Amino acid sequence: MKDDRENLPAHVAVIMDGNGRWARLKDCPRMEGHRRGAENVRSVVEGCRKRGIRHLTLYAFSTENWGRPRAEVEFLMELLGGFLSNEREEMREKGIRFRAIGRISRLPPAVREEVNVTEKVTATGEDLNLFLALNYGARSEIADACRKICEEVLSARMRPEDIDEQAIQERLYTAGVPDPDLVIRTGGEMRLSNFLLWQLSYAEIYFTEILWPEFGDEELHTALQEYARRERRFGRVKN
Ligand code: IPE
Ligand code: IPE
Ligand code: MG
């Protein structure tokens, strides 16, 4: 395998899609697809960590996913809680710092507790920052940032003329984290589904037909190689 460590993205974001279709292809219940999908998170986290990628953001549950059948939502919440309690010790040992982004206060109390404990246990990790987007929606994130700014203006801690791109960036859930360089969507859909709309303004987008439970290290390697070949211009002309 050719080395993919040249021109590595600092921040990779992944829309982990296709668990349901994977299950259908294997003739098993959707829940089995989610279970396999959760197991696959490990391999991609490890793939990023071993290559020295600094930040990884995984889209696990969107604000729109509450609209799924109740049994599926409950299963996903249990899976999330179980994933965090099983993985946090290894994350700590491997220098992974875990943080959740999204409207965490609206998650079931048991999941919130697992999130809090995992954030605390891994707080000193310095190798890979792992962000899990849970009850995440980019539009609600931007609305939350607007609300914070309005409160600051009303209490005279900020003036309307101070509102600029940086002021908004600093009030997003991802404040202080560089924008993703590369976003990968598995499962073949070519859309962003309300993921990081502000932060992905200049990200390279990589769509693959591979379903999330089958997106392994080789597929990550292919995505990183494709990224390394892209020319990022940011509106300028080629040097
Ligand atoms: C992604 O897989 C997991 C979540 C959105 C929670 P899906 O469940 O969306 O799988 P498909 O798109 O139905 O195949
Ligand atoms: C996006 O997948 C959300 C996550 C991967 C968590 P969906 O399956 O919910 O997206 P749509 O419905 O195809 O847009
Ligand atoms: Mg889907």
Side-chain angles (χ1 to χ4, degrees):
M1 227 187 250
K2 199 177 161 294
D3 192 17
D4 54 24
R5 291 173 202 229
E6 267 173 50
N7 203 7
L8 205 61
H11 186 171
V12 174
V14 187
I15 303 173
M16 308 184 290
D17 195 22
N19 294 348
R21 277 162 288 165
W22 181 90
R24 186 153 18 96
L25 281 173
K26 303 279 172 192
D27 246 343
C28 51
R30 284 183 67 82
M31 311 302 167
E32 186 53 27
H34 291 314
R35 200 174 290 126
R36 293 296 289 263
E39 278 172 25
N40 195 44
V41 169
R42 268 177 96 81
S43 77
V44 171
V45 170
E46 181 52 21
C48 288
R49 194 193 66 90
K50 77 175 185 202
R51 289 175 173 87
I53 289 168
R54 299 283 302 139
H55 313 276
L56 172 65
T57 301
L58 301 175
Y59 201 8
F61 192 87
S62 75
T63 48
E64 288 72 27
N65 288 148
W66 295 108
R68 294 189 177 200
R70 195 176 153 159
E72 181 167 348
V73 171
E74 282 174 5
F75 183 85
L76 284 168
M77 290 298 147
E78 271 175 39
L79 201 61
L80 272 165
F83 170 82
L84 294 173
S85 75
N86 288 337
E87 300 293 323
R88 66 177 153 247
E89 199 42 47
E90 196 175 330
M91 286 190 214
R92 191 187 60 75
E93 283 164 16
K94 290 189 161 168
I96 296 169
R97 180 171 181 193
F98 167 86
R99 275 167 283 178
I101 57 168
R103 287 188 173 164
I104 303 308
S105 60
R106 310 273 169 90
L107 290 171
V111 179
R112 235 162 42 214
E113 177 61 14
E114 298 296 351
V115 165
N116 291 338
V117 174
T118 310
E119 286 183 342
K120 275 201 197 88
V121 166
T122 64
T124 55
E126 286 189 346
D127 283 356
L128 172 73
N129 285 309
L130 172 63
F131 299 93
L132 207 57
L134 297 176
N135 190 20
Y136 175 88
R139 289 176 174 180
S140 51
E141 177 181 39
I142 294 168
D144 287 350
C146 292
R147 191 176 325 103
K148 285 183 202 160
I149 289 176
C150 285
E151 284 164 2
E152 290 177 50
V153 170
L154 283 172
S155 61
R157 280 174 288 153
M158 194 176 183
R159 296 166 306 171
E161 55 269 37
D162 297 329
I163 302 170
D164 56 11
E165 291 183 16
Q166 193 188 336
I168 295 172
Q169 196 278 328
E170 285 168 357
R171 286 158 186 84
L172 297 174
Y173 307 145
T174 54
V177 183
D179 289 341
D181 302 291
L182 168 67
V183 58
I184 297 170
R185 182 172 187 144
T186 62
E189 310 294 355
M190 297 200 192
R191 54 178 171 257
L192 293 175
S193 302
N194 202 13
F195 188 44
L196 301 175
L197 297 182
W198 175 283
Q199 297 88 333
L200 294 181
S201 292
Y202 264 104
E204 295 299 323
I205 306 183
Y206 179 85
F207 294 113
T208 169
E209 293 286 329
I210 308 274
L211 304 169
W212 172 250
E214 297 197 329
F215 187 88
D217 199 66
E218 214 169 299
E219 285 74 29
L220 178 63
H221 172 78
T222 308
L224 292 172
Q225 276 198 319
E226 161 80 24
Y227 171 82
R229 280 195 296 271
R230 303 255 182 112
E231 186 192 67
R232 304 184 77 189
R233 287 191 290 275
F234 300 99
R236 302 188 195 110
V237 289
K238 197 175 170 188
N239 325 297

